[in-house]
Amino acid sequence: MVLEATMICIDNSEWMRNGDYSPTRFQAQAEAINLICGAKTQSNPENTVGIMTTAGKGVRVLVTPTSDFGKILASMHGLEVGGEMNLTSSVQIAQLALKHRQNKKQQQRIIMFTGSPVKSDKKILEVIGKKLKKNNVALDIVDFGEDDDGKSEKLDALLASVNSNENSHIVHVPAGPNVLTDVLISSAIFTGDGEAGSGFAAAAAASAAVAAAAAAGGAGSFDFGVDPNLDPELALALRVSMEEERARQEAAARRAAEEATAKAANEGDEQGASSHDVAMEEMTTGTMVETAQRGPDPMEDEAALLEQALAMSMSSSETSQSAPAMEADTTMAEAKPEDQLQDLAFALEMLKQTPGKSSGPTDMSKVLGDQNFVSSVLSSLPGVDPNDPSVKDLLASLKGNEEEKEKGPEKPKEGEE
């Protein structure tokens, strides 16, 4: 297999908006470039591909030669269409990019897409072609679109000046129903494998076969629609991704099953707890019903009656003890002054009859005259206050009566008879 470094020049001029190629010139060109980049990178793992534009705001290198196919495709995303193609500058800049390739053992090749008129002079193109030949740079030209101002003649002259041992090719793709990629697959750019040919005709043919089979629905014979013989790395990556997805789905299903089992166990525990509560309630209700049917316990009734009797006896004893004191307090509190005077008179009468004492009027007046004795007697009487005015008046009247008794009746005077 040939080891190559390739620069692909994209025509992004204003003519790429035309729809004479399905779906547009620019889209048809992009599909063909994708096919070429895939074939180049698959033919040899060390092959590199770079992308550059030939129109727009100017000639611009999108990506230097690299083996990263994803980077190549990403560089083509969002390209602007406009302006005119500058063929001479594009070829010279592409040659300069190949000159600074990392692996000097790689052969150099430029693939030029020209879908717009060529404004450069034929002689200038021949000079450029000779320079490419001197630097061992091969050139493949894809000519599509209208043929204005001798475009085909100029491109043929450029190819003749650069061709060496049939290492360069040109393909004229007329407008019509044919797809640009179908024409390129059967062209010398893919099939030509001379002594210094491109070296990827077999890989390109295989890629085209896979693409045709996929379009016809025949890609189902391979897993994920990729032939592992053509792209083992992609097939392995897809298989690993599929295995990871299957493992993730199995883990999710296993986790869902565990959650369902745990939920069922929790529901079982809740049902067991509720049944236990129901059983306890039924046992309590049964015990109450059984007690009601059996009737009151005699021992419990006797104990209750005994406690009631003790309480009554204690309350009655307390009442009996407090009753005399209450009666005395009530009697003393309710005593009237008249009752007190009667008691005093009774005490004085008892004093007159005291044994060993003379009961005569003289003795009684002496007793009443003894203030200390009278005060002591009156103080001993309950409810009698010696200082009470009524008591003092009573004593004074008794004393007066005794004194009158001692004097006796008055004797009549002489002459009053």
Side-chain angles (χ1 to χ4, degrees), residues 94-394:
Q95 178 189 359
L96 185 62
L98 291 175
K99 182 179 180 180
H100 294 283
R101 65 191 183 280
Q102 293 181 354
N103 189 357
K104 300 301 182 180
K105 294 182 179 181
Q106 292 174 331
Q107 297 183 9
Q108 307 173 70
R109 180 175 294 274
I110 299 174
I111 300 178
M112 176 70 66
F113 283 83
T114 57
S116 58
V118 177
K119 302 296 184 180
S120 301
D121 186 56
K122 180 179 179 181
K123 293 183 179 181
I124 296 176
L125 293 178
E126 290 178 350
V127 173
I128 293 175
K130 291 179 181 179
K131 186 176 180 180
L132 292 176
K133 182 178 181 180
K134 181 180 179 180
N135 292 301
N136 296 323
V137 179
L139 177 64
D140 291 334
I141 302 174
V142 180
D143 177 21
F144 63 103
E146 60 273 336
D147 187 5
D148 296 335
D149 298 332
K151 173 184 175 182
S152 299
E153 183 180 357
K154 293 179 182 180
L155 294 178
D156 290 337
L158 175 60
L159 180 66
S161 61
V162 72
N163 191 10
S164 175
N165 297 327
E166 300 297 331
N167 65 342
S168 300
H169 310 86
I170 186 171
V171 178
H172 299 281
V173 183
N178 295 327
V179 181
L180 186 60
T181 54
D182 295 341
V183 176
L184 290 178
I185 289 174
S186 58
S187 66
I189 295 177
F190 284 88
T191 60
D193 193 11
E195 184 177 348
S198 61
F200 65 96
S207 300
V210 171
S221 58
F222 301 109
D223 293 338
F224 318 110
V226 177
D227 186 1
N229 296 323
L230 297 178
D231 194 351
E233 295 180 357
L234 179 59
L236 178 61
L238 292 174
R239 188 177 298 106
V240 170
S241 178
M242 188 63 183
E243 292 294 335
E244 291 178 354
E245 179 65 19
R246 185 180 295 108
R248 188 188 64 80
Q249 293 178 358
E250 292 178 356
R254 184 165 52 255
R255 184 166 54 255
E258 293 177 356
E259 291 178 356
T261 304
K263 184 177 181 181
N266 293 334
E267 291 179 355
D269 295 340
E270 292 178 359
Q271 292 178 359
S274 60
S275 61
H276 177 71
D277 295 340
V278 171
M280 292 297 294
E281 184 177 358
E282 291 179 355
M283 291 176 61
T284 305
T285 305
T287 304
M288 295 175 64
V289 171
E290 183 179 358
T291 303
Q293 293 177 355
R294 186 171 61 248
D297 191 358
M299 297 298 294
E300 294 180 357
D301 293 343
E302 291 178 1
L305 291 173
L306 181 59
E307 291 179 359
Q308 186 177 3
L310 290 174
M312 292 176 65
S313 62
M314 292 176 67
S315 62
S316 62
S317 62
E318 292 177 357
T319 303
S320 61
Q321 290 176 3
S322 61
M326 293 176 64
E327 291 177 358
D329 296 338
T330 304
T331 302
M332 296 299 294
E334 294 179 354
K336 297 179 180 180
E338 293 82 359
D339 298 337
Q340 295 176 0
L341 294 175
Q342 291 177 2
D343 295 338
L344 179 60
F346 179 73
L348 293 174
E349 291 295 332
M350 292 297 294
L351 183 62
K352 292 178 182 182
Q353 298 177 5
T354 303
K357 296 286 184 179
S358 175
S359 59
T362 304
D363 297 334
M364 188 62 191
S365 61
K366 293 180 179 180
V367 171
L368 293 176
D370 191 355
Q371 294 294 330
N372 295 328
F373 178 73
V374 173
S375 298
S376 63
V377 172
L378 293 177
S379 299
S380 63
L381 295 176
V384 178
D385 186 5
N387 298 322
D388 191 83
S390 59
V391 174
K392 291 181 179 181
D393 293 341
L394 179 59

